[in-house]
Amino acid sequence: GRPALGAAALGYLRGASWLAALWAAAAAANLVFTVSDVLGQPAGEIVTGSELSSYVGQLPQGTALMLVVLITVVVALLSRTTTSPAAAFGLLALALVALLPAPLTGHSASAANHSVAVTGVALHVAAVAPWVGGLAVLAAHALAGRDGLGVMAARFSRTALWCYLIVGASGLVNVIARLPDPAQLLSTDYGRLALGKIVGFALLGWFGWWHRERTLPRIERRETGAFARFASAEAAVMAATMGLAVALARTAPPAPAEVESSVKSLIGYDLPPEVGPVRLATLWQFDFFFAALVVVLGFVYVAGVVRLRRRGDSWPLGRTVSWFVGLLTIVAVTETGVARYAPILFSVHMVQHMVLSMLTPIFLVVGAPVTLALRALKPARVRGDRGPREWLTAFLHSRYVSFVAHPGVATIIFVASTFALYFTPLFESAMRNHLGHIAMMVHFLVSGSLFYWVLIGVDPAPHKLPYPGRLILLFVTMPFHAFFGIALMNLGAPLARGWYTAVHPDWGTPVLQDQHTGGAIAWGFGEIPTFIVLIFLAFQWFFDDQRRARREDRRADRAAARGEPSAADDELAAYNARLARLARREEERGK
């Protein structure tokens, strides 16, 4: 049957339900009191009047708080009935989403380089929550004297290290984005608060190191109170640091020295000079999200290969090269001048789209990251428990993956989502919001990876097509991208007219003409991935036949050693008998 949570885990989940309910109530109260403060009216009048609905519907801050209320209410209700680890993990992800709306509509959205600031805040908040919350649950578990504290502490230590690195990197990026002059760390209130937070953060890092070196071994020896005494001191420093973080979030950063242009307020930087091949290659544009993604994916992959090599296992060099070629293509379209020109020129944006959805995934799936993870990750220490390897295995065998990885579903997602995005208002909404833009780019990457996983993936998959079926799927799918390009080339009115009109450079071609160029790029680009996939399929088919032949030879050798007819002999005998029967039938008809 389906795995179920233990009694202690269910207790924590029920506690999370009450905390989510309090969170929802606090967010609702914050919404009411914010409107009351802005309008200067009593809270009672705000609740009974129409001002609250106007604030929620017209201002991003109001919409953000209402989203928090709705999501946390859902988490509170579902936490009362959830009993499986997978459902609990889903509620955790939903709670992390509820953390994002409020901070992302604050000062980050109006920072000079708001694309970097918004991404930094999102990563910052998403990493702080499991770090702080994990420590609280771990301390409660220790104080209650329950079993399994050693396993929990070791896992939390690894999780906390990743959270610490993410929080540190994102916090540093946020400070640099808001305080371009280092002297402002001492000359402004925002800078002094940031400096205090940096000091507190360094202390937390020292506590984490001490915990890993001294406390974990004592917990393994089951020394009473070892963790509880340490956690109380760490929690005090963490609370002070969180207080500084809250004050920092409520403090406006220094205003820019010069007035921003309308285009800079939309894209975060001034209009670049006229586009050209050299500028596309040299005018680099730092995108924090994709830079962090590439670094993490590269580091984790190398760590997996190194672990295999230290264990004495081999890993094909071609897969490693393919993986890093895929990462290099991500860098080529998200960190270079391509990323700088993509928000203002649809044709350059289409290059981004085509590379991320049709070229990058080919090399990533051939790199076989799931197979590497399954071989490199160690099983859980406690039998029946779930570590990273068990979670990955459960995910691969889930009904959700079985559904989306079906060749028909993966193809529909790959093809139909492109039309649904560009020919609806979703495209303009994604271009106007940095997180929406990131979500769009990630969708390109994920949908392409899903399709090519079905087509040429090395990793285990719920549904494996025979090689003739893969060729048919490839030749059936690719014309749809040509149709998409032709549809763009025949546009009578621009897509996302409001956005491209607002950011259109003086040196650029007319918006509609540029979008026709983007359609031509989409139409012609499909030949490149099709050719690459055909090469990979040809090699995979050839080596698969070689493996089958060697397997049959070994089976025949074993059968000969036992003095038995081999499977090939049986098949040949059956084939000859069938031919003999057909010959006799023809002779009988002739008579």
Side-chain angles (χ1 to χ4, degrees):
R2 296 177 61 190
L5 294 170
L10 286 174
Y12 293 138
L13 199 57
R14 302 300 176 260
S17 175
W18 287 108
L19 290 175
L22 290 175
W23 185 2
N30 187 16
L31 178 60
V32 171
F33 290 133
T34 299
V35 178
S36 175
D37 182 54
V38 170
L39 299 181
Q41 297 180 8
E45 294 182 6
I46 297 297
V47 173
T48 57
S50 60
E51 294 83 2
L52 191 62
S53 60
S54 299
Y55 182 78
V56 169
Q58 297 178 7
L59 294 179
Q61 292 82 358
T63 306
L65 283 172
M66 181 54 67
L67 284 174
V68 172
V69 173
L70 294 176
I71 295 174
T72 50
V73 167
V74 171
V75 172
L77 293 176
L78 294 181
S79 297
R80 306 296 300 176
T81 57
T82 295
T83 58
S84 68
F89 188 82
L91 289 177
L92 173 63
L94 194 61
L96 289 175
V97 172
L99 289 168
L100 300 179
L104 293 181
T105 53
H107 302 302
S108 302
S110 58
N113 193 352
H114 60 265
S115 63
V116 174
V118 166
T119 306
V121 166
L123 292 175
H124 202 72
V125 172
V128 165
W131 185 15
V132 177
L135 178 63
V137 173
L138 200 55
H141 196 86
L143 292 173
R146 295 190 175 100
D147 295 332
L149 181 62
V151 175
M152 289 181 63
R155 287 184 179 174
F156 172 74
S157 179
R158 291 191 293 269
T159 303
L161 175 61
W162 281 103
C163 290
Y164 184 83
L165 294 175
I166 295 172
V167 169
S170 59
L172 182 62
V173 169
N174 283 334
V175 171
I176 293 174
R178 294 176 174 85
L179 301 177
D181 184 1
Q184 293 177 318
L185 283 171
L186 299 174
S187 61
T188 64
D189 292 338
Y190 188 90
R192 287 187 286 270
L193 285 172
L195 198 59
K197 186 181 175 183
I198 292 172
V199 173
F201 185 77
L203 286 175
L204 280 177
W206 179 83
F207 270 107
W209 171 82
W210 180 273
H211 164 67
R212 194 177 186 89
E213 296 295 321
R214 303 294 179 88
T215 309
L216 287 181
R218 295 177 65 185
I219 292 174
E220 291 291 341
R221 295 193 298 267
R222 298 181 180 274
E223 293 186 16
T224 306
F227 180 81
R229 287 193 298 271
F230 173 81
S232 59
E234 183 175 2
V237 178
M238 187 175 285
T241 307
M242 293 294 291
L244 287 172
V246 171
L248 199 64
R250 302 291 295 178
T251 304
E258 53 188 33
V259 180
E260 288 186 353
S261 64
S262 59
V263 173
K264 188 175 182 178
S265 65
L266 290 173
I267 63 175
Y269 51 89
D270 290 320
L271 278 174
E274 186 172 357
V275 67
V278 174
R279 286 170 177 157
L280 285 173
T282 57
L283 287 180
W284 284 60
Q285 174 69 24
F286 178 66
D287 189 299
F288 183 38
F289 176 84
F290 285 103
L293 179 67
V294 168
V295 169
V296 170
L297 291 179
F299 173 80
V300 171
Y301 196 94
V302 169
V305 174
V306 169
R307 176 174 287 187
L308 288 183
R309 295 288 173 84
R310 287 178 176 174
R311 205 166 60 195
D313 296 337
S314 61
W315 182 254
L317 178 62
R319 293 182 182 179
T320 304
V321 171
S322 178
W323 179 260
F324 280 94
V325 169
L327 296 184
L328 185 62
T329 60
I330 296 177
V331 173
V333 295
T334 61
E335 307 295 328
T336 63
V338 174
R340 184 176 287 266
Y341 285 94
I344 61 175
L345 294 177
F346 182 83
S347 54
V348 180
H349 163 82
M350 191 51 60
V351 172
Q352 265 190 333
H353 175 177
M354 292 293 108
V355 170
L356 289 177
S357 67
M358 300 183 69
L359 190 61
T360 301
I362 296 175
F363 296 100
L364 294 184
V365 299
V366 172
V370 176
T371 302
L372 176 62
L374 291 173
R375 290 181 59 186
L377 291 172
K378 298 177 181 179
R381 291 170 54 187
V382 179
R383 186 176 179 83
D385 201 356
R386 280 193 176 186
R389 191 178 192 279
E390 288 73 20
W391 275 108
L392 178 59
T393 303
F395 178 72
L396 290 173
H397 289 88
S398 65
R399 286 176 291 183
Y400 170 76
V401 171
S402 179
F403 173 74
V404 298
H406 187 279
V409 176
T411 303
I412 290 173
I413 293 173
F414 183 57
V415 173
S417 61
T418 301
F419 289 89
L421 171 68
Y422 284 98
F423 295 105
T424 65
L426 280 175
F427 178 56
E428 183 161 5
S429 298
M431 294 300 292
R432 288 186 176 278
N433 183 282
H434 183 64
L435 284 185
H437 185 260
I438 289 178
M440 176 175 61
M441 307 292 278
V442 170
H443 171 76
F444 294 154
L445 190 60
V446 172
S447 63
S449 299
L450 180 64
F451 175 74
Y452 288 114
W453 178 31
V454 172
L455 202 61
I456 57 172
V458 181
D459 292 324
H463 311 280
K464 280 290 187 182
L465 281 175
Y467 285 99
R470 300 184 190 191
L471 286 174
I472 293 172
L473 183 63
L474 175 65
F475 288 119
V476 167
T477 303
M478 289 307 165
F480 284 99
H481 282 277
F483 297 155
F484 170 69
I486 293 172
L488 292 177
M489 293 168 64
N490 288 279
L491 285 174
L495 301 174
R497 181 195 293 269
W499 170 261
Y500 283 107
T501 301
V503 300
H504 185 66
D506 296 335
W507 45 260
T509 58
V511 173
L512 187 59
Q513 182 180 339
D514 181 63
Q515 294 190 357
H516 288 167
T517 303
I521 292 172
W523 176 71
F525 193 91
E527 304 296 330
I528 301 172
T530 301
F531 179 70
I532 296 174
V533 169
L534 284 174
I535 293 175
F536 277 121
L537 276 177
F539 277 101
Q540 288 178 348
W541 200 342
F542 172 77
F543 288 121
D544 186 64
D545 284 343
Q546 293 291 314
R547 284 191 297 269
R548 288 175 183 271
R550 288 194 296 267
R551 197 159 48 239
E552 291 297 332
D553 290 342
R554 288 194 297 267
R555 190 179 303 167
D557 292 340
R558 288 194 297 267
R562 294 192 300 266
E564 300 173 355
S566 66
D569 293 337
D570 290 341
E571 292 177 1
L572 180 59
Y575 179 70
N576 289 332
R578 187 162 57 250
L579 289 178
R581 286 196 300 271
L582 289 173
R584 286 195 300 270
R585 191 177 304 165
E586 290 296 329
E587 289 178 2
E588 290 173 358
R589 289 179 180 174
K591 294 178 181 179

